[in-house]
């Protein structure tokens, strides 16, 4: 089978410099959703007709399996399909999809293809309470005889509520013949793809129709409001699937998945979480409210507390992260680690049962097992030119408000006193500290205020 995806239109109502089909839905360009659907049908040829936005469109979409056909100028949907003809394999039928109709499903297209068989023209149609703007499906004795565009329709035809979704499938050689005979003698002076219906009927080719599983599949994006509505429809579908698989969502309307989220058993997700890229959550893990998690593996039983941001990381089983933690790329946390509030980590490995519970920055660091990192610990990993590594071995204890000036190593079981600025390696099992000795100045007196005034600093 061939699939032609129409994606040349300009999308004026988006009021954007970005070509319409590149606007993201669930983190992927609209067109990428349609291309994925075409691939899921096992199409031998997928031809994308592009035009508005020029090369931006082919450059934004992955796929050596795609053919690109330029349509310039854009003279209508029929003219658009004509640009793809040279790439089509005449042996199989051709399915026409729209780059700005992103929620179309494989099951629906399967029905349409089955209805058309090998020798009929198949149209995907829907009934709408308000059909205005759409092409109307005209039937005589129950059989489809033609489509009339809204702008060309008389009042009686405008009263028809069955409309053309634009999606159709046709035998390829016949389609090429019908397209070759199109004229643009109509209200919009365009070559209408929809005129192939009357041409088929004229040739004695039967026109079959199918209905989508859900009307939302046939909705196009013409404005930011429609894009937002389809985003919610997409997310709603996905939330339903996660719940069917056993995931507990605090509120299915407050979840955003922009990529691929896989969850084990008994996973719970609180409100307003965003998952991007590939995220895998293990059995029994819980995600608190307002977390953003991207390209990350979360181990079984881990708890991610609210307002945590995690990117490109892996979190061990039964770890407890957040609230307000920021784990940047290259963070790898072992089992039962604790990373608390206002802790930032980057390119840091922390082994099992280690803790950094408060207010710390650990960058380019390797932390062993059972290490305790006190509040306010900072690895000074950057000297202004290069990044250096800090190593903290098993069972070390890092006192609060410590700076580790990398490259530096804290030996196994070492203790660093609070307030230490560590510039040389700290030996195993010893207390190391750098601290100005504490003194009390007996003779000191707080300066008095102006005549009769209170001492400075007292209200
Ligand atoms: C089209 C159908 C109409 C149907 C409606 C469903 C025609 C003549 N009419 O109307 O029956 O009810 O879709 O939404 O087909 N495009 C190109 N090149 C062009 C023109 C359009 O690639 O020269 C692409 C657009 O980018 C868009 C799609 O084709 O993705 C549909 O074009 P649009 O102008 O929106 O079609 P409608 O007038 O809405
Ligand atoms: Ca139009």
């Amino acid at each position: 089978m061939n699939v032609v995806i129409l994606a040349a239109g300009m999308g004026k109502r988006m009021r954007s410099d970005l070509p319409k089909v590149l606007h993201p839905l669930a983190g992927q360009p609209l067109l990428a959703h349609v291309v994925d659907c075409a691939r899921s049908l096992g199409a031998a040829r997928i031809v994308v007709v592009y035009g508005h936005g020029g090369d931006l469109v082919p450059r934004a979409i992955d796929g050596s399996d795609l053919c690109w056909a330029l349509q310039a100028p854009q003279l209508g949907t029929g003219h658009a399909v004509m640009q793809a003809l040279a790439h089509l394999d005449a042996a199989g039928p051709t399915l026409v999809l729209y780059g700005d109709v992103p929620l179309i499903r494989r099951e629906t297209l399967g029905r349409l293809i089955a209805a058309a068989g090998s020798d009929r023209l198949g149209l995907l149609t829907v009934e709408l309470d308000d059909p205005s703007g759409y092409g109307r499906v005209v039937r005589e004795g129950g059989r489809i005889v033609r489509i009339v565009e809204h702008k060309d329709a008389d009042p009686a035809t405008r009263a028809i509520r069955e409309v053309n979704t634009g999606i159709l499938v046709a035998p390829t050689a016949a389609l090429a013949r019908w397209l070759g005979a199109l004229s643009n003698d109509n209200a919009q002076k365009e070559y209408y793809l929809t005129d192939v219906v009357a041409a088929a009927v004229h040739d004695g080719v039967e026109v079959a129709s199918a209905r989508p599983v859900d009307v939302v599949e046939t909705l196009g994006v013409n404005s930011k409001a429609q894009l937002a509505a389809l985003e919610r429809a997409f997310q709603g579908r996905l939330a339903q699937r996660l719940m069917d698989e056993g995931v507990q969502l605090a509120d299915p309307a407050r979840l955003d998945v922009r990529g691929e989220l896989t969850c084990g058993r008994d996973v719970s997700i609180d409100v307003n979480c965003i998952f991007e890229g590939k995220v895998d959550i293990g059995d029994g893990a819980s995600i608190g409210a307002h977390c953003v998690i991207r390209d990350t593996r979360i181990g079984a039983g881990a708890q991610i507390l609210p307002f945590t941001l995690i990117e490109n990381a892996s979190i061990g089983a039964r770890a407890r992260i957040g609230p307000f933690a920021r784990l940047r790329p290259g963070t790898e946390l072992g089992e039962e680690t604790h990373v608390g509030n206002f802790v930032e980590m980057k390119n840091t490995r922390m082994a099992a049962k280690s803790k950094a519970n408060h207010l710390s920055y650990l960058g380019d660091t390797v932390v062993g097992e059972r290490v305790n990192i006190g509040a306010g610990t900072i690895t000074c990993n950057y000297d202004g030119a290069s990044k250096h590594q800090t190593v903290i071995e098993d069972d070390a204890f890092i006192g609060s408000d410590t700076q580790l000036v990398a490259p530096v190593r804290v030996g196994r079981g070492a203790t660093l006193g609070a307030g230490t600025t560590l510039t040389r390696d700290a030996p195993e099992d010893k207390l190391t500290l750098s601290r100005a000795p504490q003194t009390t100045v007996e003779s000191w007196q707080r300066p008095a205020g102006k005549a009769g005034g209170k001492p400075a600093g007292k209200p």
Side-chain angles (χ1 to χ4, degrees):
M1 193 181 59
N2 308 285
V3 177
V4 175
I5 302 175
L6 303 190
M10 90 141 139
K12 203 176 181 177
R13 279 188 283 154
M14 296 298 279
R15 297 177 179 276
S16 170
D17 292 338
L18 191 66
K20 176 162 78 171
V21 293
L22 297 187
H23 281 266
L25 181 119
Q28 289 287 321
L30 292 170
L31 177 57
H33 290 269
V34 183
V35 166
D36 283 348
C37 182
R39 285 184 181 132
S40 78
L41 294 166
R45 306 268 167 97
I46 300 174
V47 187
V48 185
V49 180
Y50 72 105
H52 190 79
D55 283 344
L56 283 179
V57 176
R59 272 194 267 127
I61 305 290
D62 294 340
S64 50
D65 57 330
L66 304 177
C67 300
W68 295 91
L70 179 66
Q71 186 199 18
Q74 284 112 49
L75 304 179
T77 51
H79 178 256
V81 177
M82 278 185 236
Q83 312 312 305
L85 286 176
H87 299 284
L88 303 182
D89 173 5
T94 294
L95 172 69
V96 178
L97 300 178
Y98 290 71
D100 57 357
V101 179
L103 301 190
I104 188 68
R105 271 153 82 162
R106 190 167 70 132
E107 295 89 311
T108 290
L109 295 174
R111 285 185 191 181
L112 176 65
I113 292 162
S118 59
D119 54 358
R120 289 181 289 272
L121 175 64
L123 290 184
L124 189 69
T125 73
V126 286
E127 292 253 336
L128 296 180
D129 290 334
D130 176 10
S132 56
Y134 288 89
R136 304 301 202 284
V137 176
V138 179
R139 292 180 183 259
E140 284 172 8
R143 290 169 176 239
I144 296 175
V145 291
R146 65 185 163 271
I147 292 173
V148 180
E149 290 305 298
H150 181 91
K151 286 183 179 150
D152 300 290
D154 58 26
T157 309
R158 286 186 179 183
I160 297 172
R161 290 176 40 226
E162 186 183 9
V163 305
N164 173 35
T165 63
I167 292 170
L168 59 78
V169 61
T172 301
L175 179 65
R177 197 170 66 239
W178 299 328
L179 289 173
L182 288 183
S183 97
N184 65 351
D185 181 16
N186 53 50
Q188 302 184 73
K189 296 280 168 273
E190 285 180 8
Y191 295 92
Y192 291 165
L193 175 61
T194 45
D195 284 348
V196 302
V197 175
V201 172
H202 181 264
D203 276 5
V205 172
E206 201 186 320
V207 182
S209 66
R211 293 282 165 99
V213 180
D214 183 346
V215 174
V216 77
E217 292 175 59
T218 66
L219 299 181
V221 171
N222 297 299
S223 65
K224 295 279 167 73
Q226 287 172 343
L227 180 58
L230 290 195
E231 177 78 38
R232 287 332 306 162
F234 179 95
Q235 296 297 342
R237 209 193 244 183
L238 209 140
Q240 187 59 50
R241 205 197 68 215
L242 287 169
M243 292 187 294
D244 291 346
E245 291 169 2
V247 178
Q248 181 64 57
L249 298 178
D251 181 355
R254 283 182 287 170
L255 170 76
D256 285 86
V257 179
R258 301 170 189 159
E260 198 187 317
L261 173 64
T262 48
C263 296
R265 284 178 83 81
D266 296 306
V267 166
S268 69
I269 300 175
D270 209 334
V271 299
N272 292 337
C273 291
I274 301 176
F275 298 92
E276 297 183 330
K278 203 169 158 356
V279 176
D280 190 83
I281 305 177
D283 294 347
S286 64
I287 313 294
H290 308 283
C291 290
V292 178
I293 302 178
R294 183 179 306 142
D295 293 314
T296 288
R297 279 197 38 242
I298 293 176
Q303 281 177 276
I304 312 298
L305 300 176
F307 297 99
T308 291
L309 176 58
I310 306 179
E311 182 181 1
N312 245 292
S314 91
I315 312 295
R318 298 177 305 285
R320 198 185 68 206
I321 313 299
F324 297 100
R326 179 173 182 211
L327 306 183
R328 293 167 52 203
T331 300
E332 290 176 30
L333 302 179
E335 294 185 2
E336 293 176 49
T337 46
H338 290 179
V339 173
N341 35 206
F342 309 106
V343 173
E344 175 180 350
M345 288 189 173
K346 184 218 71 175
N347 191 28
T348 286
R349 276 198 333 264
M350 191 160 109
K353 297 193 168 146
S354 287
K355 298 176 183 167
N357 271 325
H358 335 264
L359 296 157
S360 289
Y361 172 63
L362 301 175
D364 304 306
T365 302
V366 179
V367 181
E369 297 186 3
R370 296 171 303 276
V371 168
N372 188 78
I373 309 257
T377 297
I378 295 171
T379 55
C380 308
N381 60 324
Y382 184 52
D383 58 16
S386 346
K387 303 277 169 73
H388 302 280
Q389 193 180 49
T390 300
V391 176
I392 303 172
E393 295 181 349
D394 294 348
D395 300 297
F397 181 97
I398 311 296
S400 296
D401 188 29
T402 291
Q403 303 92 53
L404 299 132
V405 182
V408 75
R409 171 179 295 261
V410 178
R412 184 180 293 260
T415 298
L416 300 189
T420 293
T421 300
L422 192 73
T423 51
R424 283 173 284 128
D425 292 358
E428 291 186 6
D429 296 321
K430 298 263 169 44
L431 169 66
T432 297
L433 50 80
S434 75
R435 197 181 276 173
Q438 178 172 325
T439 54
T440 300
V441 181
E442 299 292 348
S443 60
W444 183 81
Q445 274 199 328
R446 189 177 291 173
K450 294 218 169 66
K454 300 173 192 119
K458 288 240 168 131

